[in-house]
Amino acid sequence: MPASEAAHMDNSLRILSLGAGGFIGSHLTARLLREGHAVTGVDTHSDKLTEALANPRFSMIEADIGDGRFDLDAAVSAADLVIDLIAYANPGLYVRMPREVFRLNFLENMRIAEACVRHGKRLIQFSSCEVYGKSIAGAAGDALKDPDDPRHATFQEDASPMIMGPVCKHRWIYASAKALLERVLHAYGLEGLLDYTIVRPFNFIGPRIDYLPSERDGSLPRVFSYFMEALLKGGRMQLVDGGLQSRTYTYIDDAIDCLARIVARPAAARHQIFNIGARGNEITIRGLAELMRTIYDARFRLPGQPRATIGEISGRDFYGEGYDDSDRRIPDIAKARTLLDWEPRFSLQQTVELTMEYYVREARRADGRHA
Ligand code: UGA
């Protein structure tokens, strides 16, 4: 009996995971398979899916979603649940190729949503914490005097405004595309045409996130990879615009636990938007650089290996014209707590350390291969 039929005989689902080969997708696929679901992954690459590929309940379609040879309607109609993770999610790309970011992150995602509407399928749509844009204080100068006032940056799914920079700061095309997609799904939901759940990840990190900038020519990973490369090679950790902007880092296992609950509780998650983030794990980028360097010195720096330095650079010099930034973003997770009984468990120290362990292991393995 084919795996997809077997999946239908109990509570397990046939899940179409679009973008399964990425960082979040690969971890989510592993979890869904462990829970007994049958997963069809679609992505342009499957190198992060080696374990899944050995599982008979997993099948992989290596294709670009925009490639006319991929039959989106057939894939959606064969699934019980569609998970859409397809996105460019690295700020360097928003600055370098804004129109392409809009094409993939809005137009292609829209086609997926429309296919779900056509076939009456439940959709879990990945969005981003970036849709909130800047905090109120960050947008209005010093509108709130007390920097500890939680209204500065605690974002609530159904209450917080979305404050983005001007059009000439084209970094915001990504957040604008995601925000518009969310609004279209909401509109379909109002008409009863689509069963959707939207998730807004808050800086997930963990094994398999990105790659070192030197591993891929012209690649533009997120900050963790830049800092890791500086640590591993004794280079310079560059703080963009001073590094006083902050992020809230969420360990991938916590995030996947929340996502698995969304999959398992369709009624609770129907027409909801969920922040997924570890709200206690806020740190400035400068603080992150210092924490990573301290951990690296204590646990990983080899005798005689040069120590990374920490320096500053402007956003314009680092990313190019059109860059702008979120100053601070902390998730309100009351909804995930109440509707999903979810609580993140990993501290900031654990989250950073576990992710660093992965990078160091991979780098030393690669060094061994090249030696
Ligand atoms: C990115 C994506 O745009 C979001 O959609 C996504 O949700 C988010 O990552 C995520 O991982 O959840 P961002 O946090 O701005 O957003 O991306 P990073 O590249 O990790 O940058 C974080 C901060 O570090 C930014 O302020 C950036 O300017 C700074 N940075 C980056 C440095 O100071 N030095 C570097 O070498 C690189």
Side-chain angles (χ1 to χ4, degrees), residues 95-108:
V95 175
R96 186 195 280 175
M97 43 180 213
R99 205 159 52 82
E100 169 61 9
V101 166
F102 177 74
R103 186 196 65 77
L104 187 73
N105 291 10
F106 182 77
L107 297 175
E108 292 295 347

Side-chain angles (χ1 to χ4, degrees), residues 47-371:
D47 51 302
K48 296 184 180 187
L49 289 165
T50 29
E51 262 179 55
L53 287 166
N55 188 314
R57 276 181 285 104
F58 181 70
S59 54
M60 181 74 199
I61 303 176
E62 278 204 31
D64 188 319
I65 182 79
D67 183 334
R69 283 168 299 179
F70 171 62
D71 191 341
L72 178 63
D73 273 286
V76 168
S77 73
D80 303 310
L81 165 67
V82 176
I83 302 180
D84 180 11
L85 294 127
I86 289 181
Y88 294 116
N90 292 9
L93 300 175
Y94 319 158
V95 175
R96 186 195 280 175
M97 43 180 213
R99 205 159 52 82
E100 169 61 9
V101 166
F102 177 74
R103 186 196 65 77
L104 187 73
N105 291 10
F106 182 77
L107 297 175
E108 292 295 347
N109 286 166
M110 204 55 251
R111 284 203 311 120
I112 294 163
E114 284 166 350
C116 290
V117 170
R118 267 197 302 282
H119 297 282
K121 302 297 178 173
R122 180 183 177 211
L123 171 66
I124 297 178
Q125 177 66 57
F126 276 73
S127 182
S128 169
C129 60
E130 202 157 316
V131 296
Y132 293 110
K134 296 164 183 272
S135 71
I136 291 173
D142 195 17
L144 298 174
K145 291 280 177 254
D146 174 5
D148 294 325
D149 187 319
R151 283 174 298 161
H152 270 302
T154 300
F155 295 131
Q156 276 177 287
E157 299 93 333
D158 303 317
S160 296
M162 296 157 149
I163 308 173
M164 288 168 209
V167 170
C168 61
K169 300 290 183 190
H170 53 260
R171 183 242 168 91
W172 298 108
I173 196 161
Y174 166 81
S176 303
K178 288 283 191 193
L180 183 57
L181 182 69
E182 289 194 11
R183 289 187 190 276
V184 178
L185 298 193
H186 175 75
Y188 271 122
L190 289 176
E191 292 183 42
L193 295 174
L194 178 64
D195 176 359
Y196 71 85
T197 303
I198 291 167
V199 297
R200 295 180 179 159
F202 280 68
N203 290 81
F204 299 172
I205 57 174
R208 301 199 289 277
I209 185 177
D210 291 338
Y211 33 80
L212 296 177
S214 62
E215 277 171 0
R216 294 197 194 174
D217 255 2
S219 71
L220 298 164
R222 275 160 288 199
V223 67
F224 206 92
S225 309
Y226 282 109
F227 285 179
M228 265 328 292
E229 177 136 299
L231 291 169
L232 288 162
K233 306 210 164 133
R236 190 168 116 119
M237 304 167 93
Q238 309 213 74
L239 303 176
V240 170
D241 294 331
L244 294 182
Q245 64 279 37
S246 68
R247 295 293 186 266
T248 310
Y249 285 99
T250 309
Y251 193 56
I252 187 69
D253 289 7
D254 272 337
I256 297 300
D257 185 45
C258 188
L259 292 163
R261 286 162 194 259
I262 290 172
V263 170
R265 300 183 191 193
R270 183 177 159 83
H271 294 178
Q272 295 291 350
I273 301 177
F274 289 103
N275 288 336
I276 304 182
R279 48 174 291 116
N281 289 356
E282 187 188 22
I283 189 166
T284 63
I285 298 302
R286 181 179 286 278
L288 178 69
E290 284 162 359
L291 175 64
M292 288 175 70
R293 192 167 65 167
T294 303
I295 294 172
Y296 194 80
D297 282 351
R299 290 197 46 199
F300 304 116
R301 193 145 66 92
L302 301 170
Q305 191 187 357
R307 189 173 197 237
T309 57
I310 297 179
E312 293 186 18
I313 187 168
S314 73
R316 190 162 174 265
D317 287 345
F318 190 79
Y319 289 104
E321 204 66 66
Y323 184 69
D324 195 7
D325 208 350
S326 296
D327 56 314
R328 201 177 173 202
R329 46 196 197 204
I330 305 168
D332 180 309
I333 54 168
K335 239 212 283 195
R337 279 185 176 134
T338 314
L339 295 178
L340 306 170
D341 299 316
W342 176 73
E343 192 68 45
R345 296 180 193 290
F346 288 83
S347 68
L348 179 66
Q349 179 83 23
Q350 290 170 316
T351 298
V352 171
E353 226 167 312
L354 287 167
T355 310
M356 289 180 70
E357 274 175 19
Y358 163 79
Y359 270 92
V360 173
R361 204 172 49 243
E362 288 300 303
R364 305 245 151 109
R365 191 179 296 162
D367 282 352
R369 273 201 307 270
H370 298 145

